[in-house]
Amino acid sequence: MEVDQPVAETSVLPTFKATISKQPFYYFAIELLGTSSMEFTPAQYFEYIQFVLKQWLGDVGAGMSVDVLDVRARKADIRVPYDRYKQVWQAMTLIPFKLPDGTTARLQVLRGSAFAMGLASGSRQAGF
């Protein structure tokens, strides 16, 4: 190749396609609302969630897979199947239940995300 000859660019850059598959789980940050000052364990949270799912969805809800990932005082992070997250959200929002001390409580959804990192910080919290 001579120095004075222009170089012809014939190379074509490859293109890549990425597909983001549907997530298998949906994650919720929830809070137990009520006047009771009781401390709650992951097993109790699981029991309350199973109760509201059974009340809202019957036996289908009672058999649904729910994982309590973390409990901090009255707040918890849970994981549910992605294809059922809307029903779980409805049940937790609408169905009240009784605590062992006789007071009425309900679950409130603080945040929901298809990714576990979505629970790490809310978009409206200062200082992130």
Side-chain angles (χ1 to χ4, degrees):
M1 183 192 295
E2 297 283 327
V3 175
D4 293 335
Q5 289 180 338
V7 177
E9 291 192 33
T10 59
S11 64
V12 176
L13 296 176
T15 59
F16 297 97
K17 293 182 181 179
T19 303
I20 299 175
S21 63
K22 190 171 107 175
Q23 299 300 316
F25 297 108
Y26 198 84
Y27 300 86
F28 288 107
I30 60 173
E31 181 176 15
L32 192 125
L33 299 177
T35 58
S36 177
S37 60
M38 293 176 53
E39 292 292 322
F40 300 99
T41 65
Q44 287 173 311
Y45 259 100
F46 179 77
E47 191 177 309
Y48 299 144
I49 293 167
Q50 288 298 101
F51 174 78
V52 298
L53 289 175
K54 184 169 181 160
Q55 293 297 313
W56 188 247
L57 300 170
D59 290 336
V60 173
M64 192 178 301
S65 171
V66 176
D67 298 318
V68 178
L69 304 175
D70 186 30
V71 174
R72 301 165 314 280
R74 300 178 72 82
K75 297 180 181 178
D77 295 337
I78 64 169
R79 179 175 68 187
V80 299
Y82 188 87
D83 59 344
R84 297 287 187 161
Y85 84 90
K86 290 180 184 177
Q87 291 97 343
V88 174
W89 197 324
Q90 292 169 351
M92 288 191 300
T93 304
L94 296 173
I95 306 294
F97 53 91
K98 293 276 187 190
L99 296 175
D101 65 359
T103 60
T104 302
R106 69 177 186 86
L107 297 168
Q108 177 183 13
V109 176
L110 301 174
R111 285 183 296 282
S113 175
F115 303 98
M117 281 301 294
L119 301 181
S121 176
S123 62
R124 290 179 172 76
Q125 290 176 339
F128 54 90

